[in-house]
PDB file of all heavy atoms in Angstrom:
ATOM      1  N   ALA A 254       6.340  -5.170 -21.997  1.00  0.00           N
ATOM      2  CA  ALA A 254       5.697  -6.471 -21.898  1.00  0.00           C
ATOM      3  C   ALA A 254       5.478  -6.849 -20.435  1.00  0.00           C
ATOM      4  O   ALA A 254       6.299  -6.538 -19.565  1.00  0.00           O
ATOM      5  CB  ALA A 254       6.559  -7.532 -22.589  1.00  0.00           C
ATOM      6  N   GLU A 331       4.101 -19.909 -19.813  1.00  0.00           N
ATOM      7  CA  GLU A 331       4.413 -18.472 -19.798  1.00  0.00           C
ATOM      8  C   GLU A 331       5.540 -18.144 -20.768  1.00  0.00           C
ATOM      9  O   GLU A 331       5.513 -17.139 -21.475  1.00  0.00           O
ATOM     10  CB  GLU A 331       4.776 -18.037 -18.378  1.00  0.00           C
ATOM     11  CG  GLU A 331       3.572 -18.044 -17.446  1.00  0.00           C
ATOM     12  CD  GLU A 331       3.892 -17.435 -16.094  1.00  0.00           C
ATOM     13  OE1 GLU A 331       5.066 -17.524 -15.673  1.00  0.00           O
ATOM     14  OE2 GLU A 331       2.996 -16.862 -15.482  1.00  0.00           O
ATOM     15  N   ARG A 332       6.550 -19.026 -20.807  1.00  0.00           N
ATOM     16  CA  ARG A 332       7.656 -18.764 -21.737  1.00  0.00           C
ATOM     17  C   ARG A 332       7.176 -18.859 -23.187  1.00  0.00           C
ATOM     18  O   ARG A 332       7.589 -18.076 -24.035  1.00  0.00           O
ATOM     19  CB  ARG A 332       8.793 -19.748 -21.463  1.00  0.00           C
ATOM     20  CG  ARG A 332       9.568 -19.407 -20.202  1.00  0.00           C
ATOM     21  CD  ARG A 332      10.638 -20.416 -19.891  1.00  0.00           C
ATOM     22  NE  ARG A 332      11.429 -20.014 -18.728  1.00  0.00           N
ATOM     23  CZ  ARG A 332      12.243 -20.806 -18.061  1.00  0.00           C
ATOM     24  NH1 ARG A 332      12.396 -22.056 -18.455  1.00  0.00           N
ATOM     25  NH2 ARG A 332      12.917 -20.361 -17.022  1.00  0.00           N
ATOM     26  N   ALA A 333       6.277 -19.803 -23.460  1.00  0.00           N
ATOM     27  CA  ALA A 333       5.720 -19.935 -24.804  1.00  0.00           C
ATOM     28  C   ALA A 333       4.918 -18.705 -25.158  1.00  0.00           C
ATOM     29  O   ALA A 333       4.991 -18.185 -26.281  1.00  0.00           O
ATOM     30  CB  ALA A 333       4.865 -21.188 -24.894  1.00  0.00           C
ATOM     31  N   ALA A 334       4.137 -18.205 -24.203  1.00  0.00           N
ATOM     32  CA  ALA A 334       3.337 -17.001 -24.449  1.00  0.00           C
ATOM     33  C   ALA A 334       4.238 -15.808 -24.727  1.00  0.00           C
ATOM     34  O   ALA A 334       3.978 -14.989 -25.599  1.00  0.00           O
ATOM     35  CB  ALA A 334       2.429 -16.728 -23.266  1.00  0.00           C
ATOM     36  N   GLY A 335       5.334 -15.714 -23.961  1.00  0.00           N
ATOM     37  CA  GLY A 335       6.271 -14.614 -24.181  1.00  0.00           C
ATOM     38  C   GLY A 335       6.914 -14.677 -25.538  1.00  0.00           C
ATOM     39  O   GLY A 335       7.076 -13.663 -26.217  1.00  0.00           O
ATOM     40  N   SER A 336       7.275 -15.882 -25.969  1.00  0.00           N
ATOM     41  CA  SER A 336       7.873 -16.040 -27.300  1.00  0.00           C
ATOM     42  C   SER A 336       6.896 -15.688 -28.399  1.00  0.00           C
ATOM     43  O   SER A 336       7.252 -15.022 -29.376  1.00  0.00           O
ATOM     44  CB  SER A 336       8.333 -17.503 -27.473  1.00  0.00           C
ATOM     45  OG  SER A 336       9.325 -17.829 -26.514  1.00  0.00           O
ATOM     46  N   ALA A 337       5.642 -16.089 -28.229  1.00  0.00           N
ATOM     47  CA  ALA A 337       4.618 -15.770 -29.233  1.00  0.00           C
ATOM     48  C   ALA A 337       4.407 -14.275 -29.326  1.00  0.00           C
ATOM     49  O   ALA A 337       4.260 -13.712 -30.410  1.00  0.00           O
ATOM     50  CB  ALA A 337       3.323 -16.479 -28.881  1.00  0.00           C
ATOM     51  N   ALA A 338       4.402 -13.597 -28.156  1.00  0.00           N
ATOM     52  CA  ALA A 338       4.217 -12.143 -28.160  1.00  0.00           C
ATOM     53  C   ALA A 338       5.360 -11.446 -28.858  1.00  0.00           C
ATOM     54  O   ALA A 338       5.195 -10.469 -29.600  1.00  0.00           O
ATOM     55  CB  ALA A 338       4.062 -11.650 -26.722  1.00  0.00           C
ATOM     56  N   ALA A 339       6.589 -11.966 -28.642  1.00  0.00           N
ATOM     57  CA  ALA A 339       7.763 -11.351 -29.262  1.00  0.00           C
ATOM     58  C   ALA A 339       7.696 -11.477 -30.783  1.00  0.00           C
ATOM     59  O   ALA A 339       8.034 -10.560 -31.531  1.00  0.00           O
ATOM     60  CB  ALA A 339       9.030 -12.002 -28.728  1.00  0.00           C
ATOM     61  N   VAL A 340       7.251 -12.649 -31.252  1.00  0.00           N
ATOM     62  CA  VAL A 340       7.131 -12.865 -32.697  1.00  0.00           C
ATOM     63  C   VAL A 340       6.074 -11.952 -33.297  1.00  0.00           C
ATOM     64  O   VAL A 340       6.244 -11.358 -34.365  1.00  0.00           O
ATOM     65  CB  VAL A 340       6.791 -14.342 -32.991  1.00  0.00           C
ATOM     66  CG1 VAL A 340       6.447 -14.518 -34.466  1.00  0.00           C
ATOM     67  CG2 VAL A 340       7.955 -15.237 -32.598  1.00  0.00           C
ATOM     68  N   ALA A 341       4.946 -11.822 -32.593  1.00  0.00           N
ATOM     69  CA  ALA A 341       3.859 -10.966 -33.070  1.00  0.00           C
ATOM     70  C   ALA A 341       4.313  -9.518 -33.148  1.00  0.00           C
ATOM     71  O   ALA A 341       3.918  -8.780 -34.020  1.00  0.00           O
ATOM     72  CB  ALA A 341       2.660 -11.113 -32.159  1.00  0.00           C
TER      73      ALA A 341
END
Side-chain angles (χ1 to χ4, degrees):
E331 290 188 331
R332 285 177 176 166
S336 298
V340 171

